[in-house]
Each structure stands twice: as C-alpha cells, then as structure tokens.
Amino acid sequence: MAAVQGQEYAQTKWGLVLRLPVLDDSDIERDFAAGKILRTHLLRPTWHIVSAKDIRWLLHLTAPRVHQANAFMYRKLELTDTVFEKCQSIITTILQGGKQLTRNDINAAFKENKIIAAGHRLSYIMMHAELDGLVCSGARNGNQFTYALLEDRVRREKDLDRDEALAELTKRYFSSRGPATVNDFATRSGLTLTDCRSGIEMNKRRLKEKAIAGVNYFFLDSDSKATARHGGIYLLPIYDELIMGYKNRDALLEFKRENKQTSGFQYDSMIVCEGQIIGTWRRVFDSKSIEISAQFFQPLTPRQSQAFDDAVNQFGKFTGIKVRYSPPN
C-alpha cells in the first residue's frame, strides 16, 4: 500500500491488522519500536505510516509537493529558510549518536537557543525536518512519540530516481486501491494530475482500464482476487484507506442512499459490509475495558448480526482488552 494515513496512531494499527489479521497490536508496536515501520509526513500534509524500506523514495517524490502545500503556513508563522536552517542544525546536534527525543525535549533545545517554537510553529518546524529527510519517528517513550535522525534510524536502500519512484507509487496505489481514477490517485498521493497520468502511462502494461458512466477506472492486470469474507463486517478505523484512498466515495454510499438515509454520520468510524458503508461506530476506553457503540442505517440481518459480533471479537483480540458492545436504544 506504500503508506497509510496515520495521524490517529492507535486506530491506524487496527487498520493494518484488518489487512494482516495474523498480527496483533503488540506485533505492530514491536516493529514500530524497531524502526521497521515509521510515522512521518509525506504524500500529503498529514501523518503516514510507511515502511522504512520505502521512506526515502517516497520523500524524494512527494516532499516537494507537501512543501508547496505548506508554503502559506510557513509564511504565516514567519518560518523562513534561515529559521529552518538554524532549527535543523539544533536538531542534528541534539539527536546525533542515535538519540531519540520527544517534541518537548526538542522544543526545550529551541528555547535555549531563543527560538520560539510553540504550537503550530513547532509542528511545522518538525514537519519541515521530516520532509527534508532529516528526522523520522523513533521508538515511543511511554505514550509519547519521539524523533530520531533518519540516517541513524534507517539503513540506506537502493535509491529510486523520480521517474522510478513515480512508477512504483502508481503501481502500489492501483494494485492496492484499484479500480480507481486518476483524480483518486492525485488526491491520495498529493501529486499533480500530470504526474499521475505519467505514472499510469509508465504502468500501462500492468494496468487495465475500464470506463464506467463515462469515467475511466484503472486497476492491476492480475488474476488474483481479493478475499474479503462474504457477508463479513469490518469495523474500519477513522481515516481508513478504504475511505481516504479516494476522492469520490459515492460507490461506498449506495446502501445509505437506497435506505433514504439523509442525515450525517453519528460517529466518525465506518462499518463496512460487502463494499458498502452500513453504519458507523466508536470506541470508548475505561481502565479495564472498551465499550463499543454503533449506529446502523437499517437493522442487521441474523447473518450480519453474527458477522458484527465476530468483528467486535476480532477487535477485542487485537487490543487484548475486554470489549463490551452497547446496542442502540
């Protein structure tokens, strides 16, 4: 999948386990601590989870576009090239030797050097350093995230030039999210439509194309089939790739429209069955358990009720915490 949206870290881990059900929370946390997977800014101006093997070529390809998207905020926050250079020099000094420090630790070093870097200003300073390939995520310190120097954290792999990176990202996108349109790809990748069309052209031997209602969709030319459980229900995390991976999400909402559901979603996370959003859900933690609430667009069939129970149980297994479901009144 190349990268998955990851600003809600705990929920993103659940999204990974939905696609790799042999794993649990501890497996992903272990690989994150070891630096096999990283959390950083690329593709678009938000957090993403990415494999260490892919981080450099994805930054090389997409970071310039993210810098362009951030340009207004850089100016608004008075973050000039001189400020960024001074900040990155400080970051390099305090993280060298394999150190991993929290954002508060780094901000303390900025204050010692008379750099004001609170709130959004600190966020954009650190994002700039990520996009420039200076820092990436380190292991967590309790519940706090840390930063490490990318050169210390990730071994260098064979680099891809820009065309190779564009071709690779295009292949990854349409093999994991196809059928999709060029506009879907542009929205997800943050690249220009011109770049996206070029990437599709580079992969024309791999991709099939089909026009539906006058719109061209692309997907991997492969005999392999997805193996979603028939009738299975999936409790998607917020910002899941099934939602965020596309510009146009109308196809997911046919069930909602057929049931004349015109109101908005009660909760932020989607419940999906056979390619359709059938409701929304949320989870609330207390000290010893998790309570799940759900809203459905219409009552579940007996088979769907069983599938929903299975999904709740899967989530409980992932967290290792007792899960309680509160049916709607």
Side-chain angles (χ1 to χ4, degrees), residues 130-176:
E130 290 174 307
L131 294 169
D132 282 359
L134 177 65
V135 298
C136 63
S137 59
R140 291 210 288 171
N141 182 359
N143 288 325
Q144 289 189 301
F145 290 96
T146 68
Y147 291 91
L149 294 177
L150 182 64
E151 287 299 316
D152 290 342
R153 189 77 164 142
V154 180
R155 185 181 66 184
R156 282 197 169 271
E157 302 282 340
K158 180 181 178 296
D159 204 9
L160 303 180
D161 65 30
R162 193 177 189 281
D163 281 350
E164 290 172 327
L166 177 58
E168 180 66 16
L169 181 58
T170 306
K171 181 186 73 173
R172 300 272 195 101
Y173 176 81
F174 286 104
S175 64
S176 60

Side-chain angles (χ1 to χ4, degrees), residues 61 161-171 194-207:
L61 176 63
D161 65 30
R162 193 177 189 281
D163 281 350
E164 290 172 327
L166 177 58
E168 180 66 16
L169 181 58
T170 306
K171 181 186 73 173
T194 298
D195 275 341
C196 292
R197 292 188 183 104
S198 295
I200 290 171
E201 180 65 21
M202 293 173 188
N203 283 274
K204 62 183 179 181
R205 293 185 179 179
R206 290 189 177 99
L207 298 178

Side-chain angles (χ1 to χ4, degrees), residues 48 65 93 106 109 154 165 175 208 237-238:
H48 286 81
R65 287 284 293 172
T93 299
I106 295 171
V154 180
S175 64
K208 288 186 176 180
I238 193 171

